[in-house]
């Protein structure tokens, strides 16, 4: 059965919090199996992510500070989809802002739920190739604290297995990109 094709019966819904990037709902539901109860959910517009590969075969990643985990994570460039925006347009913008590279070749890798136990966020993953380093990259957002890191696919593989902090959307997207990388 396709994802999202078996909705529960909504008995009551209330917005508990409205933020700038996501909302938090509390909903009384009757699940397909008949169970009724209250469920909390983060409602997120979704995100787009790129696995950027330089002409030399290096991956372009970011070491980004994340306040929720109080530290820096290794991540692929990604961003929140704006209202009515195509995920491909989101990531074209984000890769330039976050890494200073422009990709001239794009391929969709797939899409997946990030944390379906409490959020409806979907990540749209793309392979970005034929990269050009921009002479004057766009300004980053004020709240972004990150540095660009170049790694071979083998180095990223080793970092993941060694337990270096890498976020889940990047690990999942790296897995989707592996058939197109020299491993």
């Amino acid at each position: 059965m396709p994802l999202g094709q078996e909705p529960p019966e909504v008995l009551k819904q209330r917005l508990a919090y409205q933020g700038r990037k996501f909302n938090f709902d509390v909903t009384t539901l009757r699940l397909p199996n008949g169970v009724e109860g209250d469920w909390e959910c983060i409602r997120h517009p979704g995100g787009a992510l790129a696995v950027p590969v330089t002409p030399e075969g290096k991956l372009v990643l970011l070491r980004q500070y994340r306040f929720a985990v109080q530290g820096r994570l290794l991540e692929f460039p990604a961003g929140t989809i704006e209202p009515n925006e195509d995920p491909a347009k989101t990531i074209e913008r984000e890769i330039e802002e976050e890494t200073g590279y422009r990709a001239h070749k794009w391929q969709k890798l797939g899409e997946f739920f990030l944390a379906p136990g409490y959020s409806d966020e979907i990540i749209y993953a793309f392979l970005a190739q034929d990269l050009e380093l921009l002479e004057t990259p766009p300004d980053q957002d004020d709240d972004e604290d990150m540095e660009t890191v170049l790694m071979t696919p083998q180095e990223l593989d080793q970092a993941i297995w060694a337990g270096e902090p890498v976020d889940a959307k990047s690990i999942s997207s790296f897995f989707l990109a592996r058939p197109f990388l020299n491993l």
Side-chain angles (χ1 to χ4, degrees):
M1 175 176 294
L3 295 175
Q5 298 301 310
E6 194 177 5
E9 181 182 349
V10 176
L11 304 175
K12 182 175 144 188
Q13 185 171 28
R14 73 178 175 88
L15 175 66
Y17 173 78
Q18 183 171 358
R20 65 185 172 95
K21 291 214 175 195
F22 62 84
N23 295 339
F24 181 73
D25 292 345
V26 179
T27 308
T28 304
L29 303 172
R30 180 176 297 119
L31 299 179
N33 68 0
V35 172
E36 291 183 15
D38 288 340
W39 279 268
E40 300 84 16
C41 184
I42 294 171
R43 302 292 179 186
H44 192 284
L49 176 145
V51 177
V53 184
T54 68
E56 300 78 33
K58 298 260 184 149
L59 302 171
V60 181
L61 294 114
L62 304 165
R63 192 169 312 280
Q64 184 165 353
Y65 182 80
R66 295 295 191 175
F67 75 91
V69 298
Q70 301 177 23
R72 297 177 189 280
L73 298 177
L74 198 55
E75 306 179 25
F76 285 117
T80 301
I81 299 168
E82 299 294 332
N84 303 312
E85 184 176 44
D86 182 326
K89 291 295 177 198
T90 302
I91 196 54
E92 286 176 19
R93 177 185 68 249
E94 291 292 332
I95 194 174
E96 290 183 18
E97 288 176 7
E98 293 185 349
T99 69
Y101 283 93
R102 176 176 292 139
H104 295 285
K105 182 179 174 190
W106 291 91
Q107 179 176 339
K108 187 170 182 182
L109 293 171
E111 55 194 61
F112 51 90
F113 287 104
L114 191 59
Y118 59 84
S119 175
D120 65 353
E121 181 178 6
I122 294 176
I123 298 295
Y124 299 87
F126 297 86
L127 183 66
Q129 295 174 299
D130 193 13
L131 297 184
E132 163 194 5
L133 187 58
L134 298 174
E135 208 170 291
T136 309
D139 291 334
Q140 290 181 345
D141 294 337
D142 289 340
D143 65 343
E144 292 178 326
D145 179 0
M146 63 183 76
E147 67 173 308
T148 302
V149 177
L150 298 178
M151 301 177 92
T152 65
Q154 294 83 358
E155 289 169 333
L156 178 57
D157 201 48
Q158 290 170 357
I160 292 167
W161 286 106
E164 187 167 337
V166 182
D167 76 322
K169 71 185 184 308
S170 297
I171 294 171
S172 298
S173 298
F174 179 53
F175 177 80
L176 293 172
R178 287 176 74 97
F180 307 99
L181 305 173
N182 295 326
L183 281 174

